[in-house]
Amino acid sequence: MAGVGAGGRAAGGVPAVRPDLTALVGYHSAQVDVAVRLNTNESPMPPPAAWQRALAEAVGGVEFNRYPDRGATALRRALADSHGVGPDQVFCANGSNEVLQSLLLAFGGSGRTCALFEPTYTLHGHIARVTGTQVAAGLRRHDFGLDLDVVARVVAGSDPVLTFLCSPNNPTGRADTLDEITTVAGLVPGLLVVDEAYGQFAPSSALELRASRPDSSRHVVVVRTFSKTWSMAGARLGYLVADPEVVAACELVALPYHLDAVTQLAGRLALEYVDEMNARVAAVAEERGRIAATFAELPVESWPSDANFLLFRPTDKEAGAVWSDLVASGVLVRDCSTWPGLSGCLRVTVGLPEENDRFLAALTESLR
Ligand code: PMP
């Protein structure tokens, strides 16, 4: 029949999106034009000036008419050296979200399940669903720690090919202990993906588990990003450290030349500024302590954090009203109050001292 294509749709129309996607709401933080943006957990500090100069100089040598190094060889070698592993254990992508997506494309998909424990980073479940992967969700404890009985039950009931932990956990802040992660690693039938986007703030890392027990931790995958402590959210660079078989699987699904030449350079050069990165972590941790101390004097419930943000719940006023008051004062925080297990909660990213002052003053005013 003329003008009618496959499936009986008229030619020229836009087909309906996949029916399993229509229930998904995109993951967006409100983009409000305010002076103090403390809603997306970026570093408040720019990268080191010396890094910016080195990058500008190196970009002059990029052959822009050529595709970038498809294997990101130099960057992977530098990352591998920094973690004491081989380059075949490192996969890099455009932000850790793309790393997570690669894992789900390679190991998830139709007929497969991943497990996660809420409240946690909502993109784990979101990307899973976009890739057609089923999600089996358990709840964290009331204090947001991992409930190992729940983990065991969810894992036994769903046989997940991927199990996600986020440590330190976004948005609740606390890192899971190495003992807990080791226990979970002993329970899961598939890969254990530990998202360490905020790992440099934490007292321990699942990388230690991979290093100390190489035989029993081959299925442990550690995901990291340059977006937070490295002050490079604008460059979009993340990576994982895992068994070479996991790296090979991610390479199978990555698009050719997905990681551009400038990003590769930016990441490799950043690794020469570890001291500056550590100084940023220390400065943020100090400011985090100051914010937490002020919370203790206000009508808010708050939770300890091993990251660059704090979760808090105003006790005498509705979270949405507090959020609006803060915006009216030029301060944007994240409203998490509709997320599973987080009713009434807001999350603030630690900013520069003067930004934190402004946040604390606006919060005090709102709660007065
Ligand atoms: N994982 C977690 C836990 C995060 O909080 C974020 C950033 N919000 C990401 C991954 C993604 O970071 P990126 O894609 O910028 O590397």
Side-chain angles (χ1 to χ4, degrees), residues 27 95-97 100 121 166 170 195 197-198 225 227-228 236-237:
Y27 174 81
S96 52
N97 281 336
L100 297 165
Y121 183 44
C166 186
N170 179 11
D195 184 338
Y198 307 92
T225 180
S227 295
K228 316 294 177 183
R236 310 304 300 129
L237 179 60

Side-chain angles (χ1 to χ4, degrees), residues 7-350:
R9 286 185 302 271
V14 177
V17 298
R18 271 166 38 197
D20 59 318
L21 292 185
T22 51
L24 293 182
V25 185
Y27 174 81
H28 301 296
S29 188
Q31 297 290 307
V32 183
D33 194 14
V34 292
V36 180
R37 284 178 17 209
L38 304 176
N39 63 328
T40 46
N41 295 348
E42 296 138 316
S43 168
M45 288 157 267
W51 171 85
Q52 301 203 21
R53 282 193 299 274
L55 179 61
E57 202 177 310
V59 166
V62 170
E63 283 187 279
F64 278 102
N65 54 321
R66 300 288 176 198
Y67 284 115
D69 174 9
R70 190 168 169 171
T73 322
L75 171 62
R76 279 169 67 188
R77 192 178 311 117
L79 279 167
D81 287 350
S82 76
H83 290 302
V85 300
D88 59 346
Q89 290 170 267
V90 177
F91 170 75
C92 303
N94 292 281
S96 52
N97 281 336
E98 197 189 39
V99 175
L100 297 165
Q101 185 187 53
S102 304
L103 285 165
L104 280 154
L105 285 172
F107 294 99
S110 168
R112 293 184 164 210
T113 301
C114 71
L116 48 82
F117 303 94
E118 290 172 331
T120 192
Y121 183 44
T122 47
L123 267 224
H124 294 160
H126 179 83
I127 303 172
R129 292 181 183 99
V130 169
T131 62
T133 313
Q134 296 260 22
V135 177
L139 280 182
R140 285 177 167 262
R141 289 191 316 246
H142 203 59
D143 65 358
F144 301 132
L146 265 186
D147 184 330
L148 292 172
D149 291 334
V150 169
V151 175
R153 208 174 326 120
V154 169
V155 163
S158 62
D159 192 26
V161 69
L162 296 140
T163 299
F164 290 100
L165 292 180
C166 186
S167 180
N169 190 40
N170 179 11
T172 58
R174 238 0 207 322
D176 301 318
T177 67
L178 207 49
D179 278 350
E180 288 168 327
I181 293 172
T182 306
T183 303
V184 178
L187 290 171
V188 298
L191 295 179
L192 175 61
V193 180
V194 187
D195 184 338
E196 295 190 351
Y198 307 92
Q200 288 89 345
F201 291 97
S204 64
S205 163
L207 289 166
E208 295 163 44
L209 173 59
R210 284 191 51 82
S212 63
R213 303 190 193 186
D215 293 332
S216 59
S217 63
R218 286 191 52 213
H219 63 309
V220 176
V221 178
V222 181
V223 179
R224 292 217 162 179
T225 180
F226 279 73
S227 295
K228 316 294 177 183
T229 40
W230 290 99
S231 299
M232 278 175 52
R236 310 304 300 129
L237 179 60
Y239 64 98
L240 61 71
V241 177
D243 193 81
E245 272 178 61
V246 174
V247 172
C250 289
E251 280 165 352
L252 212 59
V253 296
L255 294 174
Y257 312 114
H258 67 133
L259 198 63
D260 75 76
V262 178
T263 304
Q264 293 186 32
L265 264 178
R268 187 169 60 73
L269 290 171
L271 295 171
E272 293 173 15
Y273 297 89
V274 175
D275 291 347
E276 286 80 351
M277 192 274 283
N278 287 333
R280 283 165 168 66
V281 170
V284 167
E286 194 170 326
E287 279 296 296
R288 184 184 66 204
R290 192 167 71 87
I291 297 173
T294 309
F295 278 168
E297 295 164 5
L298 293 172
V300 301
E301 188 181 359
S302 67
W303 289 268
S305 169
D306 296 307
N308 66 342
F309 55 83
L310 286 150
L311 187 75
F312 65 102
R313 179 188 279 141
T315 48
D316 299 349
K317 191 168 179 176
E318 207 246 314
V322 175
W323 185 87
S324 299
D325 286 348
L326 292 174
V327 169
S329 304
V331 180
L332 183 60
V333 299
R334 195 72 189 258
D335 183 354
C336 312
S337 59
T338 57
W339 300 4
L342 293 177
S343 88
C345 289
L346 301 170
R347 186 196 69 194
V348 62
T349 305
V350 178

